Every structure is written in C-alpha cells, then in structure tokens.
Amino acid sequence: MASFYLPAVILCSGGIGTPTTGVVKSLCIEEERRALVSFKNELVDHSGRLSSWLGHDCCRWEGISCNNSTGRVVKMNLRNPYPYPFSYSDERWDVSAHEQSCLGGKINASLLSLKYLNYLDLSMNNFHGSIPIPNFFGQLNSLQYLNLSSSSFGGEIPYSLGNLSTLNFLDLGLNYNLSSRNLSWLSHLSSLKYLNLEGIDLSSTRVSWAYDINMLPSLLELHLSSCQIKSIPLSLQKINFTSLLILDLSDNKINSAFPSWLFNFTSLKELNLARNNLTSPFPSEFANLKSLESLDLSATSLKGQIPEVIGNLCKLKFLSLRANDFDGGGIEEFWRSFSNCSNNSLESLDLSFCGLESQLPAYLGMLKSLQNLDLCGNHLWGSIPDSIGNLSSLKTLDFSYNYMNGSIPESIGQLTELVSLHLYLNIWEGILTESHFINLTSLQDFQVGDTQGPMSLSFEVTYDWVPPFKLHTIEIINCRVGPGFGVWLRSQTELVNVNLRGNEISENSIPEEWLSKISTQVIYLILAHNQFSGNLPTHLKFPNSMVIDLSRNNLVGPLPLWSTNVSLLYLQSNSFSGPIPSNIDQLMPNLEGLYLFENHLNGAIPNSVCNIQSLEVLALKSNQFSGEFPRAWRAGSNLLFLDASHNNLSGNIPTSLGVLSLLEILKLNSNNFEGKIPDSLQNCSSLRSIDLGDNILSGKIPLWIGGSNVAMLYMLQLRSNLFTGHIPHNLCNLSHLHILDLSHNNFSGMIPNCVNNLASLVREDNLDGLHYGFYEQATLTLKGGQHVYNTTLILVKSIDLSSNVLEGEIPEEICSLVLLGTLNLSMNQLTGKIPSKIGNMHLIETLDLSHNHLSGQMPRSLSSLSFLSHLNLSYNNLSGRIPTGNQLQTLNDLSIYMGNPLLCGVPLSTQCPGDELKDAKDKNENGNYKFWFYVSVILGFIVGFWGVCGTLVLKTSWRYAYFRFFDDIKDKVMG
C-alpha cells in the first residue's frame, strides 16, 4: 500500500541533510567523526559498505549528510541498498547481494554525540534478533525520522522511544521478534504522523493499543498488520486522530463487528481490514467515507449480498472483497450501484472466490476506468457479455475457475491495453480466431483451457499469422491448437512460462530455432501430451528453467545433453533410446525429479546420478537398462522415490542404498536381481513401500522388516522370487501395512496367528497420502487376474500368500481383518476347516483358498459377504451343502467348487443326502395342493351361481324387482 506521507518526510529531510559536494572546506566536527568511527567499529560489514568511512571529512562518507552551514551530522541513511524480498517474484531482489550487504553486530552508544541527528535509517539490515532496540535511542532528542524496519531486532520495544517528542516518522515494522506489552509510550509523540508496527507482537495489549494510538492527534498513517491483535474496541469516547489518511489492520486475529469509530475518519483514503473475522453485517455507515480511494476487505468472513453501498464511494479506485462468502446472486445490483457516481473512478476490482452464482450482467462494460478485474474462483456461468469490449482501460482480466460456457466474444479483442487474460478452467466452446487477438498489442499473459480433459475450444488462425503481441506467459491446455506448431506460436520468442499441454499439436520435431530463442529466459516449459516426434536438439542451455515437461509425445533419439538448472525434468512415455549421459550430474546439478520411465533407454545407469544431492525422484521404470544398479550412493542424499522396475538390471541390490535415510518408495521389481535383501536397508527409516517382486532373490525375509526402523511400511511386495523359510512374526508389527504380497516363493510353516495386529486392516489408518502416488504403480493379483494400480493404490487392502508351501490351519485371527479386500491363500498345503467367522470380513471382494487340503463344511457365514465378487474354493476336500443366500447366489460358476467331490447342493448338480426324500415330499405336497385348488374352485362356482339364481327362482318379489331394474335401464338407454 502506497504511503501518502513518506515521500513528504524524505523531501523535507533532504533539504536539511544534503551531502556536501564540490570544493568546500571540511565541515565535519571532530567529536562527531570519532563517534561515527566508534559506531562503525562495532558493526559487522561483510560487503564493505562503510569502506568510505576514512579520512577527516565525515560529511563525505557513504550514508552521512551534514548541515551545510554548521557541519553537524543531521542524517544517517544506512538502509540496505538491495531491497528486502517482499515477494519472490520481485525482479529487483538479489538474495545473495541482499544478505551480503546486511549490516550486523552491535550499535554503539557513541551515536549520542550526534546531537543534531534528525534522520536515522538502519532498515533492511540483519541484527539477527539477538539485540534489542538500544534504549539510548530515546535520548536522540533531535530525531524526526527513525526507520528500523526489517532489521531483525528483538525483545521489547523500549519505552524510552516515547521521549522523542519531535518524531514525525517511526517505522519498526517487519521485526518479527519484537513485541510490546503496552503502547503507552506512544502518547508522548504528539508530532507523530507515520507509525508502522507491522509484524510486531501486540497480543498482550488487548484493546489498550487503540486507546494509546488515539492519543496521537497528528497521525496520518497507521500500519498495524500482522500484529496478532485479537480485540478491538467497538467505540471510543473521543476520536483524536481524525486526520488519519491510511489505516492498515490486516492479517490480525480480530474477531469483532465493525467498530463504530471507524466511520469518523472522513478523510481516510486507504482502509485495509483484510484477513480478519468481521462478524457483523456490512455497515451502511461506509457511505460516510467519501474520501476513500482504496478498500481491502478480503477474507473478512462477510456474508449476505455484495454490499451495494460501496457504489456510493465515488473516489474509490481499489476494491477487494476477495475470499468472502456472499450469497450467490446480487452481482447485477452491485454492478448497477456504481452508476450512482457520474464519474466512477474504480480502477481495480477483486471479487475472486466470493461464492458468486450468476451470469455476468450485460452492462459489465460500464466501469470505463477499470484496469484490473478479477472474478476467478466463483460459480459464474453463461458467456462473457459483448460489453466487455467497452472496458478500454483494462489491463488484467481473470475469469478462471468458473463454469462459464459458450463462445468467447470477439469484442475481447478491443481491449488494447490488456496485459493479462486468464480464462482457464471454464467450459468454453467454439473457436478463437485472429479477430480475438488482432488489437491486443500489449498482451503478455494468456491462459485458457482445462486440466480435467479436452475442451470444445479450437484455435483457427492461419498457419503463418504473426500476432501483434509478445507473450511472456502462454498456457493453453487441452484445446485444439494443432495440427501444426504455427508461426503464431513460433513468433513468441520472449516466453518465460510455456504450458501447451494436450493440444493435439503434431509436428515432426519441436522447432529448434524457437527452442533456442526462448531457452535463455524460459522458466516453465511444458509441451506434454501432444504428438511431437523426431529428435530433440542435443546442445542447448536453459540457465533459468525450473520445469521442463516433454512427456507423452513421440520423441525419439538420444536424451538431450542440455546444460540446465532445471529442477524437474519430465521425459517419460516417449521413445528415447541410448544411455543416460554419464555426466548428467554436471549437466543438471540441481535436479529434484528425473522422470524417464516408459522409453527405450539402455546401457548401464551411470553412477553419476548418485552425485545429484538434490535429487528426490528417480523414475526409470520400463526401459531396457542393464548391468548392475549404481552403488555410489552417499549420505546426505534427498532421494525419496526410486523406481527402476521393469528393466534388465542384475547383480545384488547395492548395500549403499542404506544411506538413503529419506527414501520412502523403493521399486526394483521385474529385474534380475539376485542374492539376499541387504540388511543395510533397515537404515532407510522413512521407507513406506518396498517392491522387489519378480527377481531371483533368495534367502529369508530379514527380521528388520517389521522392526521399529521401518515401522511406516504400507506395502511389501516380494512375489515371484526364491525366498524360503517361515513368514516372520515381525511382519505383524507393521501397523500401517495394507498390501502384502509374498506369493510365488518357497515359504513354509504356518501363517502367523498374529495377523490381527495389522492395524490398518482392522481399522482405518490415518497415515498421510502418498507423495508420489501418481507415479507409483503396483501389479496386484485381484479378482482372479492381474491389475495395475496407481492413483488408487492407497485404497487397496490385500494379502497374497499364494503359491508357497504353507501348511497348518488358517488362523481364526485372520477373520479380524474386517477391512481386507483381497485374501489369496491358494496353491499351498493348508489343512483344517475354513474359519467359521470368515463372514466378519464384510469388505472382502476376492477370496481364493483353492488348491489346498481344506476339509469340513463351508461356513454358513460366507453367505453374509455382500461385497464378494470372486470366490475360488476349488481342489480342496470340502464337504456338505453349499450355503445359499445373498451374494453367494450370484456366484454360480461351477469352477468355484471344482475338485471338491463331497460338496453338494446348488449350483452343483450333485444332490445332498436327503434331497431325494425332500423332492418326493415336495412333489406329493405339490399334487395335493393342485387337487384341493380345483375342488375349491368348483365349490366356489356352485355356491356363487346358486346363491344368486336359486334366490331368484324361489323369491318371486326379488325376481320381479330384478327384471324391472333391467327394463328401466334399457328404457333410459333407448330413450
């Protein structure tokens, strides 16, 4: 928020403290020179900013200004020349230069010798929160300007600052370790015009802060944002600071109605109450603030209709009501309210994320001065009114994240001042032509499309059309831009952010000349999900790139030898071939994610990948890599996700993997690894998923799997190896385990009866979701076939112990796993009965107990498994009647029960003992039923017929009445 008062103060002080220039007799006072030297000696100055503080004339020293007449030091400006990073997009900010230029150390009391010092600025330095603001500052009696902001001072604000009776300007803001229990010392600063305490902890002041500030009659600007203020008085008896021009109370914890005294500031130009909880309805008294030019009420919990009273604030230039919860309608009335002012001056309007549900009003274009309009994140529908073209001053327009549909009007092309146009995540249809863009000469940022799927929006421009703009950001997602990469795209050579994902662009290669021109400045380059083919240019430099995504195209040839600072490189699902460059650690030293899966890469994985300390994701699945896996892993690596599955890797699993203490996902399945699982992996204490299936590994499951070091495991896949021995009871300690696959090995012994300790299969697990679930895939045998799971893997709950040599009975404890979806114990040597309480596993979908030696009857509780869709009990020694009812009646495939000759009943043709007698009895009962049915019908007819006709024969009067009735009916009909 711009300061009204700050420039004036600097201007006034400049006249007093102009540095001496030209050939002038030295005016520096020796006592003051010595004081400055003592002050300098206590400071830490890494960059040598005070290197000019030599010689006798201190008035010529950097940052020092003297009075031209007296030679007295009147101004000390040691503000860091490199700005503080108010945002990371601030192009002026050089982080290393800022930190290097910070002064630190101690502040010497020798400054007290500067008795005429009226201007002191130590802002944007770094005193590390280790020193408080010096108490002696309160004795610098001539001070009019004191700026200590953003310098990491700590502790309590000294009350002595209240002695600076001539102080006009006080800025202590952004010293987040500062606090104040009360602000009573402020009451003595009667001349204070500017006060900034932003970021200082004032929570202990309760409501007294307002009473203390009310004692400042000259105050023009007040900045108290992020001060942890919780309370605000609803009224003040007498308002003393009615000249206030700027009030900022944003980002506090105020939970209150709007205070009534707020509306006494009739001169107020800027009001910022954003990100508080203002509970009352929107006050009509806002109409009193006629001078208001800037109003920010974003995220203040406002409800009801959008306040129309704002339309009466005719000087308003900036208005933000962002992130409130207004009723869906009311936007038309709100827009119409601005017609109350003949010369409406509104320049910026932010109604984003306000819950608006309506069409845009046809008179949208009435706000002729509007430069910034943000309506994103609502539930707006319908099309953009043609009147949008009347907003001739518009520079930024954001309709993203809505439900707007229809075609985009050509009148949008009349916005000649437009710099940023955001239309993405709507339901647009129709076409965009050259007419939509022909006058947008200032356009730098264009975004349209939908990440959820293809849109019915096409770009229909001639292939060689050259647009009148030079974009910095282009984001077109899932539209129809292709088939070719037209000249209108090739001409955009100043791009910083590029996202052309899923646009059906088909080109023999990504244009090398275009890539070369944007490579020096581009940060995000995303061309994924298109149909680019051919080779990539081999040698380019991307010094500023953070993300390069060329995945899911038809690119071929070797991997590019690009020298880049890129963090995330997505090249998966192409047809790249050849090896990974052996010097990849030098080409891409800052890689955090390397995604090369589903290509045709071959050769050995170079050891140099182990040198990329920042690497978090290494995804090499489904290539043709061979040889041994890299063994040069070193402590300090940030690797979280490692997937080298489905390759031709061989040898032992490297023990050096054990140094990867942050590793969460390890997938080496479907290779030719042999030997034992290295014990060093127990040092990977963050492991959550291990998949070593489909290798030639042997030996026993190490006891550390199930130990406290890897207690977070949710998936363990060791299928299709040569493991032997018993299943260790330690596995039962894995309380988060919900996928266990030990199938197709040579495990023996009994199933551990402690399986009921697998807590995530007994009750819902609140383990956080996967960091890399989208890329982690697992092939699981479920529902009688193999299925690949990725995004839903966290929901799968499965135990597969099939194709081993397990023996003994199925433990009753397994019935406690009530959340289990798949249980496969087939192809073992299990004996005994099926547990009687198996019906407790009410979420089971797949149950395979086939090819064992199970005996006895099928438990009746099987019929209560309402989700059961795949059942296989074949080739056991089960006997007796097959239970009926519920879900079992839908499972009528005879192969389910094959190889159990003693089973009987539906759906088998084999009848159970006693079924013949039951059938005969049923047949006899059925015959008797038919006989008595016919007897009752005949008797009913006889009784009914003679009950009517017999009465008419025997009763003459009834007979006459009966026939007379029909005669009367006939006469009425005929008449």
Side-chain angles (χ1 to χ4, degrees):
M1 192 175 286
S3 170
F4 284 89
Y5 176 66
L6 178 57
V9 170
I10 294 175
L11 185 63
C12 292
S13 298
I16 299 173
T18 305
T20 52
T21 56
V23 181
V24 190
K25 181 181 178 182
S26 173
L27 298 175
C28 182
I29 307 300
E30 178 60 22
E31 179 189 3
E32 294 186 344
R33 189 192 70 81
R34 288 197 302 270
L36 289 173
V37 171
S38 298
F39 170 72
K40 173 190 173 183
N41 290 339
E42 295 282 340
L43 293 178
V44 176
D45 179 18
H46 295 296
S47 64
R49 282 171 54 194
L50 306 184
S51 58
S52 67
W53 285 28
L54 298 171
H56 294 287
D57 192 356
C58 63
C59 296
R60 296 178 179 273
W61 293 354
E62 180 72 26
I64 302 299
S65 299
C66 298
N67 183 289
N68 288 337
S69 302
T70 65
R72 294 286 185 177
V73 173
V74 294
K75 180 176 181 180
M76 180 187 291
N77 184 0
L78 298 182
R79 180 185 180 91
N80 192 326
Y82 292 91
Y84 185 82
F86 291 106
S87 73
Y88 288 99
S89 61
D90 192 337
E91 296 178 357
R92 302 170 302 162
W93 181 44
D94 183 330
V95 59
S96 58
H98 171 80
E99 292 177 352
Q100 186 72 15
S101 297
C102 282
L103 298 175
K106 297 180 180 180
I107 299 177
N108 196 299
S110 62
L111 290 183
L112 289 174
S113 297
L114 308 179
K115 299 186 183 302
Y116 296 89
L117 187 69
N118 61 51
Y119 186 110
L120 176 59
D121 191 339
L122 299 176
S123 62
M124 295 193 184
N125 289 292
N126 189 358
F127 293 96
H128 300 288
S130 57
I131 66 169
I133 295 173
N135 234 350
F136 70 80
F137 275 8
Q139 300 175 46
L140 297 172
N141 296 322
S142 298
L143 271 186
Q144 298 176 26
Y145 180 103
L146 177 59
N147 191 344
L148 306 177
S149 62
S150 304
S151 290
S152 299
F153 286 105
E156 181 85 2
I157 299 175
Y159 289 7
S160 62
L161 293 185
N163 298 328
L164 302 176
S165 57
T166 60
L167 202 63
N168 297 146
F169 184 104
L170 177 59
D171 191 345
L172 306 179
L174 300 174
N175 286 291
Y176 294 105
N177 293 317
L178 273 181
S179 63
S180 183
R181 288 189 291 272
N182 70 71
L183 298 177
S184 57
W185 51 273
L186 280 173
S187 61
H188 305 293
L189 305 182
S190 57
S191 300
L192 198 64
K193 293 180 172 63
Y194 179 100
L195 176 61
N196 185 356
L197 302 179
E198 178 182 356
I200 295 173
D201 184 0
L202 301 181
S203 58
S204 298
T205 65
R206 300 183 182 274
V207 296
S208 67
W209 63 269
Y211 299 108
D212 294 326
I213 286 171
N214 192 32
M215 305 300 291
L216 303 175
S218 304
L219 197 62
L220 299 178
E221 289 197 33
L222 175 60
H223 299 273
L224 295 178
S225 62
S226 303
C227 288
Q228 303 182 47
I229 295 172
K230 299 177 183 178
S231 302
I232 185 169
L234 294 180
S235 62
L236 294 173
Q237 284 188 344
K238 182 182 179 183
I239 313 298
N240 292 319
F241 57 124
T242 53
S243 300
L244 201 65
L245 300 176
I246 295 178
L247 174 60
D248 185 355
L249 291 171
S250 62
D251 292 289
N252 281 292
K253 301 177 181 179
I254 298 172
N255 188 1
S256 168
F258 285 92
S260 59
W261 50 266
L262 193 64
F263 306 109
N264 290 337
F265 299 134
T266 53
S267 301
L268 201 65
K269 294 181 180 294
E270 292 187 9
L271 175 61
N272 190 347
L273 301 175
R275 292 168 294 282
N276 285 291
N277 186 23
L278 303 175
T279 55
S280 64
F282 196 86
S284 59
E285 289 85 354
F286 261 97
N288 298 342
L289 306 180
K290 302 286 188 185
S291 301
L292 209 59
E293 297 179 6
S294 176
L295 176 60
D296 192 344
L297 297 176
S298 53
T300 48
S301 304
L302 295 176
K303 291 179 170 45
Q305 294 284 318
I306 306 179
E308 296 178 34
V309 66
I310 291 176
N312 297 319
L313 303 177
C314 297
K315 294 184 179 180
L316 200 62
K317 295 181 179 179
F318 173 90
L319 173 61
S320 178
L321 300 175
R322 170 187 174 88
N324 282 293
D325 192 18
F326 295 118
D327 291 346
I331 190 170
E332 289 198 17
E333 293 79 4
F334 172 72
W335 220 271
R336 194 182 294 116
S337 70
F338 286 105
S339 62
N340 297 339
C341 301
S342 56
N343 278 326
N344 192 284
S345 57
L346 193 64
E347 296 177 0
S348 180
L349 175 59
D350 188 348
L351 296 176
S352 59
F353 300 99
C354 280
L356 303 178
E357 299 178 21
S358 66
Q359 288 182 294
L360 291 173
Y363 38 86
L364 183 74
M366 64 178 290
L367 300 177
K368 300 294 179 63
S369 300
L370 206 58
Q371 298 179 18
N372 305 293
L373 175 59
D374 190 345
L375 292 171
C376 82
N378 285 292
H379 303 283
L380 300 174
W381 49 276
S383 57
I384 301 173
D386 284 334
S387 65
I388 191 79
N390 296 334
L391 301 177
S392 55
S393 300
L394 207 60
K395 294 182 179 179
T396 68
L397 176 61
D398 193 343
F399 287 143
S400 56
Y401 293 97
N402 278 288
Y403 298 96
M404 302 187 71
N405 50 23
S407 58
I408 298 169
E410 287 189 5
S411 60
I412 214 162
Q414 300 170 21
L415 305 177
T416 56
E417 301 294 320
L418 199 62
V419 175
S420 175
L421 176 59
H422 289 191
L423 303 174
Y424 59 92
L425 287 175
N426 282 284
I427 320 170
W428 304 117
E429 55 191 34
I431 60 174
L432 288 173
T433 67
E434 297 169 20
S435 301
H436 288 84
F437 301 102
I438 195 66
N439 294 315
L440 303 185
T441 54
S442 302
L443 194 63
Q444 295 181 10
D445 179 0
F446 177 56
Q447 301 180 25
V448 70
D450 191 344
T451 57
Q452 304 303 313
M455 293 187 69
S456 300
L457 183 66
S458 300
F459 285 72
E460 295 187 6
V461 298
T462 55
Y463 185 84
D464 56 356
W465 175 60
V466 178
F469 48 73
K470 287 290 187 180
L471 295 175
H472 294 173
T473 294
I474 185 170
E475 185 170 309
I476 304 174
I477 303 174
N478 290 325
C479 298
R480 289 196 290 269
V481 175
F485 197 81
V487 172
W488 79 277
L489 289 173
R490 296 172 190 242
S491 67
Q492 301 306 308
T493 55
E494 297 179 8
L495 288 167
V496 176
N497 302 301
V498 182
N499 190 344
L500 295 174
R501 179 187 180 93
N503 290 311
E504 302 180 10
I505 302 174
S506 177
E507 194 82 17
N508 288 334
S509 62
I510 300 173
E512 182 172 354
E513 183 181 2
W514 175 76
L515 264 184
S516 178
K517 287 180 178 178
I518 69 169
S519 64
T520 55
Q521 78 271 355
V522 73
I523 295 176
Y524 295 94
L525 175 61
I526 302 173
L527 302 175
H529 287 266
N530 284 292
Q531 293 149 32
F532 289 108
S533 57
N535 291 34
L536 287 173
T538 53
H539 292 86
L540 283 177
K541 293 185 177 181
F542 291 85
N544 297 305
S545 294
M546 295 177 63
V547 176
I548 296 178
D549 187 352
L550 308 180
S551 63
R552 303 188 188 283
N553 281 286
N554 302 314
L555 298 167
V556 298
L559 291 176
L561 297 172
W562 292 344
S563 176
T564 174
N565 289 318
V566 70
S567 297
L568 300 173
L569 180 62
Y570 300 92
L571 299 178
Q572 74 268 20
S573 301
N574 280 288
S575 297
F576 289 113
S577 57
I580 297 176
S582 59
N583 62 338
I584 190 170
D585 57 329
Q586 299 171 29
L587 294 171
M588 304 176 185
N590 299 317
L591 267 181
E592 294 178 11
L594 179 59
Y595 300 88
L596 301 178
F597 59 88
E598 294 174 359
N599 278 288
H600 304 302
L601 300 171
N602 52 34
I605 301 171
N607 271 315
S608 55
V609 298
C610 305
N611 299 331
I612 308 175
Q613 292 291 92
S614 57
L615 194 64
E616 295 181 358
V617 178
L618 180 60
L620 306 176
K621 182 187 73 172
S622 298
N623 280 286
Q624 297 158 22
F625 293 117
S626 58
E628 294 191 338
F629 195 70
R631 300 180 174 277
W633 300 101
R634 295 182 296 180
S637 170
N638 289 323
L639 200 64
L640 300 169
F641 179 99
L642 173 55
D643 187 354
S645 62
H646 296 275
N647 281 287
N648 298 314
L649 299 169
S650 57
N652 295 334
I653 296 174
T655 58
S656 62
L657 286 175
V659 303
L660 303 176
S661 59
L662 300 179
L663 189 66
E664 295 185 11
I665 312 293
L666 175 62
K667 297 182 67 63
L668 299 176
N669 54 294
S670 301
N671 282 288
N672 297 306
F673 288 112
E674 58 189 10
K676 297 181 178 182
I677 300 176
D679 285 339
S680 61
L681 287 180
Q682 66 184 301
N683 298 321
C684 301
S685 55
S686 300
L687 270 174
R688 299 168 72 174
S689 175
I690 299 176
D691 190 347
L692 304 177
D694 294 285
N695 281 290
I696 322 171
L697 298 169
S698 57
K700 298 180 179 181
I701 297 179
L703 293 178
W704 59 264
I705 298 181
S708 58
N709 272 18
V710 290
M712 301 300 290
L713 270 183
Y714 66 80
M715 182 168 74
L716 177 61
Q717 285 222 96
L718 302 178
R719 62 175 290 126
S720 299
N721 279 287
L722 303 174
F723 290 113
T724 56
H726 293 188
I727 298 175
H729 281 64
N730 278 22
L731 294 186
C732 298
N733 298 330
L734 298 172
S735 59
H736 300 292
L737 191 70
H738 60 85
I739 299 175
L740 174 63
D741 190 347
L742 306 181
S743 62
H744 298 275
N745 280 286
N746 294 310
F747 291 114
S748 57
M750 302 177 67
I751 299 173
N753 58 9
C754 58
V755 289
N756 57 327
N757 291 333
L758 297 173
S760 66
L761 298 177
V762 177
R763 55 186 176 274
E764 289 294 343
D765 192 355
N766 50 8
L767 183 66
D768 292 338
L770 306 183
H771 292 299
Y772 303 100
F774 181 80
Y775 294 103
E776 185 183 14
Q777 291 185 346
T779 302
L780 302 171
T781 303
L782 305 178
K783 301 180 181 180
Q786 288 195 333
H787 301 273
V788 177
Y789 291 82
N790 43 46
T791 54
T792 58
L793 189 60
I794 195 69
L795 303 176
V796 176
K797 300 182 185 298
S798 167
I799 292 179
D800 191 346
L801 306 179
S802 62
S803 300
N804 283 288
V805 286
L806 298 172
E807 56 191 15
E809 296 186 356
I810 300 173
E812 282 283 348
E813 289 81 1
I814 210 165
C815 300
S816 301
L817 307 181
V818 294
L819 300 182
L820 192 65
T822 295
L823 177 62
N824 191 346
L825 303 178
S826 64
M827 301 284 186
N828 280 289
Q829 298 176 19
L830 299 173
T831 57
K833 297 181 179 182
I834 299 174
S836 60
K837 296 181 179 179
I838 199 162
N840 293 347
M841 305 170 73
H842 58 273
L843 294 183
I844 201 87
E845 297 180 26
T846 299
L847 178 61
D848 192 344
L849 305 178
S850 64
H851 294 273
N852 280 289
H853 305 299
L854 300 173
S855 58
Q857 295 189 346
M858 293 173 55
R860 294 190 60 82
S861 64
L862 274 172
S863 62
S864 65
L865 299 176
S866 54
F867 287 94
L868 190 64
S869 59
H870 180 84
L871 174 65
N872 194 347
L873 302 177
S874 61
Y875 297 101
N876 280 288
N877 299 316
L878 300 172
S879 59
R881 185 183 301 278
I882 297 172
T884 57
N886 297 333
Q887 189 73 2
L888 274 184
Q889 289 192 225
T890 67
L891 302 174
N892 51 17
D893 185 351
L894 300 183
S895 65
I896 293 174
Y897 309 105
M898 186 180 299
N900 290 283
L902 298 180
L903 281 178
C904 60
V906 179
L908 300 179
S909 58
T910 307
Q911 291 187 329
C912 295
D915 282 356
E916 296 86 350
L917 294 175
K918 183 176 182 297
D919 289 344
K921 182 180 178 183
D922 289 345
K923 186 175 182 181
N924 184 50
E925 288 178 352
N926 190 45
N928 291 337
Y929 170 77
K930 290 181 178 179
F931 170 76
W932 287 109
F933 173 74
Y934 292 131
V935 168
S936 62
V937 169
I938 293 169
L939 287 174
F941 174 75
I942 292 171
V943 172
F945 178 79
W946 285 110
V948 176
C949 296
T951 303
L952 295 177
V953 170
L954 297 175
K955 193 79 170 175
T956 304
S957 60
W958 284 22
R959 185 167 64 249
Y960 286 161
Y962 180 75
F963 286 114
R964 189 181 300 115
F965 171 74
F966 279 104
D967 284 341
D968 291 343
I969 294 295
K970 182 191 72 170
D971 292 342
K972 288 181 180 178
V973 172
M974 298 300 291

